[in-house]
Amino acid sequence: MTITLDSLEPALSVRQVLTLERVLAGEPEVVAGASHLDRPVRWVHVAEAADVGVMLSGGEMVLTTGVLLAGDEDKQAEYVRSLHRAEAAAVVLGLGRAFPAAPDVMRRAAERCGLPMIVLHRPFPFAELTEEVQSRLVRRKFAAVSLSEAVRTELTALITAGAPLQRLLDEVARHSACPVVVTNLAHRVLGTAGERPAVDDVLRDWERIARQAGGVEGDGWIRAELGGRGERWGRIVLCGYRGDTATGRLLADRAAEALVLHRMLAGGAACSWEEQSAQSLLTDLVSGVVPARQLLPRARAAGLPVNRRTFVPLVVRDGDPARLERLLRLLGLPGLVAELADGATAVLLSLPRDQDAGALAAHFAARLRTETGPDHTVVAAAEARAAWDDVPTGLREAQHVADAVADSSAVLDLPPVVRLKDVHLRGLIRLLRDDPHVQSFAERELDGLLRESDEDLLSVLRTYLATGRNKSRTAQLHHVSRPALYRRLEAIQVRLGVDLDDFEQAASVHIALLAHDAQQQ
């Protein structure tokens, strides 16, 4: 059976002890400290000695008949003060032979100290109350230990199996039944888990919440520091946890241990958690599965400025995400970087509205191409978006542009930042590549060159058409002599039954080849 925090009995408070059936049989009455009845009861102790405080360690509910206090008001007052100094949870006085009614001295002292004082109007075997409360506390402690071991075992198994950070956080959220957030020391969210609506509620006002959760615990906010060898690098926060604080701390500590181990086994790369967070966010934006408005809290919590900003969606081909992150920091450009698929990396810039988004994007691309070389990197961009809701469309447009030039960047004279207007026919074909009529057209036009053995001729044809039928440039790019190129072009024309010197026939073959290449990606 899986133990979750919901399955644990809550820690007993003084108020809850007073509702137990055995206690109710004694007709309890609160005569002092009524505003402090939510104090947790750690243990129950029977004591008559006036100096009982020296035997306590805090959190005890002390039961007494007052037999050694009768007739001595100084002892009665000192008894209460002693309990207060020892941080007892409450004192319960059984009325009877020693005290037929609550003594005023003890009641006034308890009220001044804020110590709950309860009297029992009917004779009551203290042993029954002790047994009842102790058994509940022992069960609670055993359940907490069982939870601790269950969480440690399950998280360790996941780490051993190579599970990602998200899988670990999902397991912690399942045990805690509340949202879980992992942040760096700057309160930037690196990961979340839990029911999505509850997580979004937390992230929606994360800046204010983070300041509160970073300093104190309360209202169900439990945190544990992440770090090792004298260095802190983050924290995990249980947000709105409903159980008792002690068990919540225990769970947070187990989770923190697992996350530190996960980081160690990953080579200490804490930044990879930031990359995973950005990747998850940008992937969701590109896919459109989650409405952009619902992703806004995640973007804000991830450290992306979103208020009164201009967003520039970029997709970089063959760009190293770590290099792109460093370049953004170097240029002072706020943004998120995430690796997508097929060698593409998304970059979402967030710029003040008074800055020239086009010029900054061009500057970023120029610096990147200076570092990597113009033949190694393609920076595709969509037009800047003033509204967050338009960002997913922009990212998809940038990805479309990047895909359109993926196979031709080496032969086309591209600007530093490639936009939709720069890909012309190639971009249109990318949009129509899944149309059955387009697929049929491509196969019909290229039928003579679609065998695996013809791949070299197909490559020559691709370069020849992409360079505007420039024979010298084509021969140079394929490292062959002009006569050798002529022989290959002649073979292509024979296979396809076309005249490549005829503009219309060459255009038809070019369109078919673009469609064929788009379908292969």
Side-chain angles (χ1 to χ4, degrees):
M1 181 185 74
T2 299
I3 299 174
T4 66
L5 294 182
D6 283 343
S7 68
L8 298 177
E9 292 184 37
L12 290 175
S13 65
V14 175
R15 189 187 308 279
Q16 290 169 321
V17 170
L18 297 181
T19 64
L20 296 178
E21 186 175 349
R22 292 184 180 181
V23 179
L24 291 175
E27 297 181 7
E29 179 190 358
V30 179
V31 296
S35 61
H36 300 278
L37 295 180
D38 291 320
R39 287 182 176 180
V41 176
R42 189 182 62 82
W43 208 244
V44 177
H45 189 69
V46 179
E48 301 288 356
D51 58 350
V52 62
V54 299
M55 298 181 286
L56 306 179
S57 57
E60 294 91 350
M61 174 178 276
V62 177
L63 311 179
T64 182
T65 62
V67 66
L68 299 181
L69 304 176
D72 191 330
E73 292 187 349
D74 290 338
K75 284 186 177 182
Q76 294 169 20
E78 178 56 28
Y79 184 86
V80 172
R81 290 193 293 267
S82 176
L83 294 178
H84 171 65
R85 289 193 297 269
E87 298 182 349
V91 59
V92 178
L93 175 65
L95 301 181
R97 184 161 54 93
F99 292 104
D104 288 340
V105 171
M106 293 183 68
R107 184 179 53 77
R108 288 195 298 269
E111 194 65 50
R112 284 194 299 270
C113 293
L115 176 70
M117 180 176 175
I118 300 98
V119 296
L120 300 175
H121 290 278
R122 293 175 62 88
F124 184 85
F126 284 169
E128 291 187 10
L129 174 57
T130 303
E131 179 184 10
E132 175 75 12
V133 175
Q134 309 298 51
S135 64
R136 287 175 178 264
L137 293 175
V138 168
R139 286 200 304 271
R140 185 64 179 82
K141 184 169 293 188
F142 175 77
V145 172
S146 297
L147 170 66
S148 174
E149 290 307 309
V151 172
R152 176 184 279 123
T153 300
E154 292 173 18
L155 294 181
T156 301
L158 289 173
I159 293 171
T160 304
L165 170 66
Q166 187 60 54
R167 182 68 186 85
L168 269 64
L169 295 183
D170 288 342
E171 191 68 14
V172 175
R174 185 174 68 83
H175 279 288
S176 65
C178 70
V180 175
V181 176
V182 174
T183 76
N184 61 15
L185 295 181
H187 304 306
R188 178 176 176 179
V189 174
L190 307 181
T192 63
E195 295 184 2
R196 195 73 255 167
V199 172
D200 288 344
D201 285 343
V202 169
L203 297 184
R204 195 165 287 114
D205 197 19
W206 178 250
E207 289 187 13
R208 179 186 62 81
I209 290 174
R211 287 194 297 270
Q212 293 176 349
V216 297
E217 291 183 351
D219 297 327
W221 291 80
I222 310 293
R223 69 171 183 151
E225 301 298 324
L226 303 177
R229 299 177 181 176
E231 177 188 8
R232 290 192 304 118
W233 43 267
R235 59 178 56 91
I236 182 170
V237 185
L238 308 185
C239 308
Y241 156 68
R242 295 190 298 268
D244 67 283
T245 301
T247 305
R249 287 182 183 143
L250 179 149
L251 178 59
D253 288 344
R254 295 295 84 75
E257 290 172 4
L259 296 185
V260 171
L261 178 59
H262 184 276
R263 181 194 177 195
M264 291 174 57
L265 293 179
C271 63
S272 66
W273 289 5
E274 297 186 8
E275 293 167 5
Q276 290 177 37
S277 175
Q279 183 177 30
S280 173
L281 174 60
L282 292 184
T283 299
D284 285 347
L285 280 169
V286 170
S287 70
V289 174
V290 182
R293 182 59 50 182
Q294 293 183 21
L295 297 172
L296 189 59
R298 288 171 58 188
R300 184 183 290 111
L304 186 72
V306 295
N307 295 329
R308 295 183 295 279
R309 309 291 285 190
T310 297
F311 302 100
V312 183
L314 306 173
V315 172
V316 181
R317 274 286 174 187
D318 301 321
D320 175 34
R323 180 193 295 273
L324 298 176
E325 284 272 14
R326 288 194 298 270
L327 184 56
L328 287 183
R329 289 195 294 269
L330 179 65
L331 298 178
L333 297 176
L336 295 178
V337 176
E339 188 171 6
L340 299 178
D342 301 325
T345 301
V347 179
L348 180 60
L349 302 180
S350 175
L351 307 174
R353 290 183 176 175
D354 59 353
Q355 294 186 349
D356 188 336
L360 288 174
H363 181 51
F364 170 78
R367 286 292 301 268
L368 181 61
R369 297 185 77 174
T370 298
E371 292 186 11
T372 62
D375 295 334
H376 293 86
T377 303
V378 172
V379 179
E383 294 303 320
R385 261 57 179 179
W388 174 257
D389 287 345
D390 295 332
V391 168
T393 303
L395 284 169
R396 287 192 290 272
E397 179 182 315
Q399 189 174 35
H400 163 69
V401 173
D403 289 343
V405 299
D407 291 331
S408 56
S409 58
V411 296
L412 295 179
D413 185 16
L414 297 172
V417 179
V418 187
R419 302 183 186 277
L420 194 58
K421 63 183 179 61
D422 300 314
V423 296
H424 306 296
L425 178 62
R426 189 177 300 272
L428 175 63
I429 295 300
R430 289 285 306 184
L431 289 175
L432 299 176
R433 63 179 176 174
D434 294 326
D435 188 297
H437 295 91
V438 174
Q439 295 172 355
S440 177
F441 169 77
E443 292 179 6
R444 184 172 64 252
E445 290 289 300
L446 301 175
D447 182 60
L449 287 179
L450 294 182
R451 293 187 298 272
E452 188 174 342
S453 59
D454 296 327
E455 184 58 39
D456 181 58
L457 292 179
L458 203 62
S459 177
V460 170
L461 176 63
R462 183 181 293 111
T463 304
Y464 179 63
L465 295 173
T467 58
R469 295 183 293 175
N470 186 321
K471 294 183 176 67
S472 297
R473 179 63 173 153
T474 302
Q476 180 184 13
L477 290 171
H478 282 270
H479 308 289
V480 297
S481 64
R482 290 284 292 270
L485 175 66
Y486 294 156
R487 288 193 295 272
R488 295 184 186 184
L489 291 176
E490 182 64 30
I492 290 170
Q493 294 181 101
V494 171
R495 295 280 189 88
L496 297 182
V498 299
D499 179 5
L500 293 178
D501 289 329
D502 181 85
F503 175 79
E504 185 173 337
Q505 294 183 54
S508 181
V509 172
H510 193 187
I511 292 171
L513 185 57
L514 291 176
H516 169 76
D517 289 345
Q519 292 159 15
Q520 305 307 307
Q521 297 172 6

